[in-house]
Amino acid sequence: YPVAMVNWSPIWYSDYNFTRNYTEHFYQASKQSYSQPDLNNQILNQLIEQKIADQHAEENHITVSDDEVNQAYQQLIKKNGQDEVNKVLSDLYGLTQDQFKPLIYQQLLKQKLQTDLKNKQL
């Protein structure tokens, strides 16, 4: 089921639920307090921003390749070590490497969109 629509494109409940799960896991693991309504709004806003970014990237032919995602992940491992990365993903977020890579994709896409926007403003 869709939880929201952005320019006639749905944000699926499964995506919302996945994001809520790892975000709640983070707050609980780091012993931070949060209010469920605020967290729900934060997650929905984050997913709306991601959907808008995806749409803007598609309109402007901005892409992130699997190789770029893998390179970014390997840099993270080189900097922190495989065991430490796995421990943080598992303990703090409750994520596996495969679940984490789409988050890397979103971050790289956001960086490319920001660069594209800056270049268009110059």
Side-chain angles (χ1 to χ4, degrees):
Y1 298 102
V3 294
M5 297 290 284
V6 178
N7 298 321
W8 299 102
S9 182
I11 295 174
W12 298 109
Y13 179 74
S14 59
D15 295 330
Y16 172 84
N17 204 30
F18 171 75
T19 304
R20 188 186 73 216
N21 287 342
Y22 78 74
T23 304
E24 281 182 337
H25 192 280
F26 172 79
Y27 280 115
Q28 291 168 0
S30 61
K31 298 182 182 356
Q32 294 183 40
S33 63
Y34 63 94
S35 86
Q36 196 64 51
D38 289 344
L39 182 65
N40 291 341
N41 286 333
Q42 172 192 338
I43 291 165
L44 186 57
N45 287 334
Q46 176 184 339
L47 291 171
I48 289 169
E49 287 175 11
Q50 285 178 359
K51 184 63 76 170
I52 291 169
D54 290 342
Q55 292 171 353
H56 182 75
E58 186 176 332
E59 290 169 6
N60 291 281
H61 310 288
I62 297 169
T63 61
V64 174
S65 70
D66 289 343
D67 284 342
E68 289 172 299
V69 171
N70 289 329
Q71 286 175 4
Y73 183 74
Q74 289 305 317
Q75 287 175 341
L76 190 61
I77 291 197
K78 185 177 180 182
K79 181 178 178 183
N80 299 293
Q82 180 74 56
D83 292 340
E84 184 64 22
V85 170
N86 287 343
K87 181 173 175 35
V88 168
L89 287 177
S90 175
D91 293 353
L92 264 182
Y93 295 97
L95 295 174
T96 66
Q97 172 185 330
D98 289 339
Q99 292 170 318
F100 181 61
K101 284 189 175 182
L103 302 177
I104 294 173
Y105 170 89
Q106 285 296 328
Q107 185 61 38
L108 293 174
L109 185 65
K110 188 175 180 179
Q111 290 171 357
K112 283 187 173 189
L113 286 168
Q114 289 173 344
T115 300
D116 183 61
L117 184 59
K118 285 179 187 175
N119 289 340
K120 286 181 178 178
Q121 290 178 346
L122 294 178

